[in-house]
Amino acid sequence: MGRLKVGVLISGRGSNMAALANACAAPDFPAEIALVLSDIPGAGGLEIAAGRGLATATVDRKAYGSKADFEAAIDAALHGAGVELICLAGFMRVLSADFVGRWHDRILNIHPSLLPAFPGLHTHERALAAGVKVAGCTVHIVRPVVDDGPILLQAAVPVLDGDDAASLAARILAEEHRCYPTALRWMAEGRVRIDGARVRIDGASPAAGALRNPL
Ligand code: GAR
């Protein structure tokens, strides 16, 4: 069977895109990146992608009169590249319900919190302000509401006394780079069973024990 063709949508530096590209570089990985698309001209991730020989495209919102036209251009670029699954990787635009519906159960997102806590922007600042002792990241199937949808995988990290938003973000980002390729592999292997809000992964082992912080 062929490898699943993935379109990665970015708006910025693209470290999650690079983590996905690293995973896809293994010959036995069941997915490949068919296109890296940015809504921001000159986004750092575009250069990284091109440097790895990946196809890139820019669809600049400012070049389109309406959101529908903008999304139609994204859709066309993805279909033109043969994309079968979309990975949002720091893509900072909200996709319409129409777009999400056209790609139903075929869009993944990664978010740097333990959703449904702290969706949206300034995630780490809000986690620190709330005083949580554990933070983390979430990979989920995209639904029309921002940072909402069936959860495939979460990783938790401790929040440390000296943390600021940057140090917490860095600790979570390291987990993002592990979680996203894992979730993509599961999707590509057809092991993801979505049942309402709940997802089961065929053959995945449950984690043992708990992360408690502080001890
Ligand atoms: C990542 O932390 C990702 O989880 C977050 O943006 C960052 C992008 O970094 N996404 C969101 O907040 C989406 N709601 P990257 O460009 O280095 O992958």
Side-chain angles (χ1 to χ4, degrees), residues 12-17 89-90 92 109-112 120 123 147 173 176:
R13 69 190 162 183
S15 73
N16 277 292
M17 178 278 298
M92 300 315 263
N109 182 43
I110 189 155
H111 183 74
T123 313
D147 296 328
L173 190 66
E176 294 184 47

Side-chain angles (χ1 to χ4, degrees), residues 8-19 45 48 88-93 109-113 115 118-124 136-138 140 146-147 169 172-173 176-177 180:
V8 185
L9 268 52
I10 64 169
S11 298
R13 69 190 162 183
S15 73
N16 277 292
M17 178 278 298
I48 296 172
L88 305 182
F91 184 69
M92 300 315 263
R93 287 197 182 266
N109 182 43
I110 189 155
H111 183 74
S113 75
L115 291 173
F118 314 119
L121 299 175
H122 310 301
T123 313
H124 308 297
C137 64
T138 303
H140 66 96
V146 174
D147 296 328
I172 293 172
L173 190 66
E176 294 184 47
H177 295 164
Y180 218 173

Side-chain angles (χ1 to χ4, degrees), residues 18-33:
L20 294 173
N22 286 344
C24 289
D28 62 344
F29 196 79
E32 64 183 307
I33 296 181

